[in-house]
Amino acid sequence: MNCAELSQLLLDYFDGALPGLIAAELRQHAADCACCRSLVETYGLTVRLSADVAQAEVPPGVAQRVRDAVRALAEGQ
Amino acid sequence: MIDPSLVRLAREGDVEAFMALVGHCETRAYRIALAFTRNAEDAADILQDTMVSALRQIATLHDEARADAWIYRIATNRSLMLLRSRRRRPEVSMDGVEGHFDSDGHRDGFVPAWPVDPEDELERRRLAARIAELSERLPDSYRAIWTLADVEQLTMEEIAGVLELSIPNVKSRLHRARLALRQLLAGELLTPGGVS
């Protein structure tokens, strides 16, 4: 595996969609290549940080407002 | 997945069935709107607009089993419409985001490691907030896919359904969006005083 091939496989690697042998080849290339090792680590960290982006709940007042608007429209139809 | 018989009832005008559909989809629709707008008032308006539009258009919904994807598509489109109506930060260029390679597939240039501790929860939270801000610089189609995939954790199949794209197209854009965000964050982390 070379650097270009590794780069193309990163999405499937982090989604757990790579066959085991290819994933092992990717890890081996990353172990031997400092640039690809950094890329794998920082790409993975980017994915992990994205999953940490704050998750909000719908505020109760907003949920009620939405239901009121939907009901008003339904009753007017 | 939502019960198709409930959606059928909603299509036939059963208000309580439609309310159940609202209850099923509102959290994710709100989070999608919030991820795009990063503003709670805008997200609330988009959520209301989404559900009102869904009620108006529910007769046009053909695939009852995918009513949730249909609602998320409305929320995504409403969010993108709002963003387009506002002035935005300059978009990052997606050209060359994969990097450059020689004829043997070896990378040209150096990829530095990041001076961060991924196990430090406070630092991770700070960087996650920064990555959400940096996502505003992605072109809309990339930002939409990144939001649905990496923030909202929808599957590739679900995203393809919401955005009406092929799965290879979704995967290609998600990969490029991740690379662009990685590059933007690297630019800040490797600049003294970059991320505050």
Side-chain angles (χ1 to χ4, degrees):
Chain A
M1 183 175 296
N2 61 34
C3 305
E5 289 164 345
L6 176 141
S7 178
Q8 286 303 312
L9 294 172
L10 282 176
L11 183 133
D12 283 338
Y13 179 70
F14 280 100
D15 287 356
L18 272 192
L21 271 176
I22 299 177
E25 264 190 64
L26 185 150
R27 282 191 291 271
Q28 185 58 56
H29 177 83
D32 297 337
C33 171
C35 278
C36 287
R37 190 160 56 249
S38 280
L39 181 67
V40 171
E41 285 171 5
T42 55
Y43 186 100
L45 187 53
T46 302
V47 174
R48 192 170 156 196
L49 290 172
S50 301
D52 284 345
V53 169
Q55 295 285 33
E57 296 302 319
V58 183
V62 172
Q64 189 57 51
R65 195 183 101 191
V66 170
R67 281 164 177 71
D68 290 347
V70 166
R71 205 172 284 283
L73 177 66
E75 286 168 2
Q77 278 182 345
Chain B
M1 196 180 84
I2 194 147
D3 177 1
S5 63
L6 194 68
V7 181
R8 201 166 308 127
L9 283 172
R11 281 189 60 183
E12 289 164 1
D14 184 321
V15 179
E16 295 315 315
F18 188 81
M19 287 300 185
L21 187 57
V22 170
H24 179 84
C25 297
E26 66 184 346
T27 300
R28 187 162 262 172
Y30 178 75
R31 287 176 178 172
I32 289 169
L34 194 59
F36 277 111
T37 63
R38 302 179 28 78
N39 177 293
E41 280 182 31
D42 287 340
D45 289 346
I46 288 169
L47 178 64
Q48 180 171 330
D49 190 24
T50 295
M51 295 309 179
V52 165
S53 297
L55 179 61
R56 283 200 177 110
Q57 298 170 37
I58 196 159
T60 68
L61 172 64
H62 299 301
D63 188 351
E64 288 157 349
R66 299 178 76 179
D68 42 5
W70 177 70
I71 287 182
Y72 303 143
R73 179 158 66 243
I74 297 173
T76 300
N77 288 338
R78 290 286 187 280
S79 301
L80 290 172
M81 277 169 59
L82 183 81
L83 290 183
R84 282 175 197 143
S85 71
R86 293 188 177 164
R87 197 166 68 88
R88 293 185 56 194
R89 292 181 188 189
E91 282 181 359
V92 66
S93 167
M94 303 302 281
D95 291 341
V97 79
E98 286 99 346
H100 299 283
F101 304 92
D102 67 19
S103 55
D104 292 329
H106 296 302
R107 180 176 293 276
D108 283 337
F110 183 62
V111 180
W114 289 355
V116 297
D117 175 7
E119 303 312 316
D120 180 336
E121 201 185 321
L122 268 182
E123 184 167 50
R124 244 189 19 239
R125 221 176 289 165
R126 184 173 59 92
L127 293 175
R130 188 62 192 136
I131 223 167
E133 289 168 7
L134 290 170
S135 74
E136 292 177 23
R137 294 183 54 193
L138 294 176
D140 288 342
S141 62
Y142 291 86
R143 187 169 178 213
I145 290 170
W146 171 79
T147 298
L148 296 172
D150 284 354
V151 180
E152 275 307 309
Q153 307 285 311
L154 267 68
T155 64
M156 297 297 153
E157 289 77 9
E158 287 172 321
I159 298 165
V162 169
L163 298 177
E164 295 181 310
L165 294 170
S166 68
I167 290 175
N169 196 338
V170 170
K171 289 174 74 169
S172 162
R173 290 189 198 200
L174 175 61
H175 181 51
R176 288 161 62 77
R178 287 174 174 178
L179 288 170
L181 283 174
R182 192 205 73 82
Q183 204 171 61
L184 287 169
L185 195 55
E188 297 199 349
L189 287 168
L190 300 168
T191 305
V195 177
S196 57

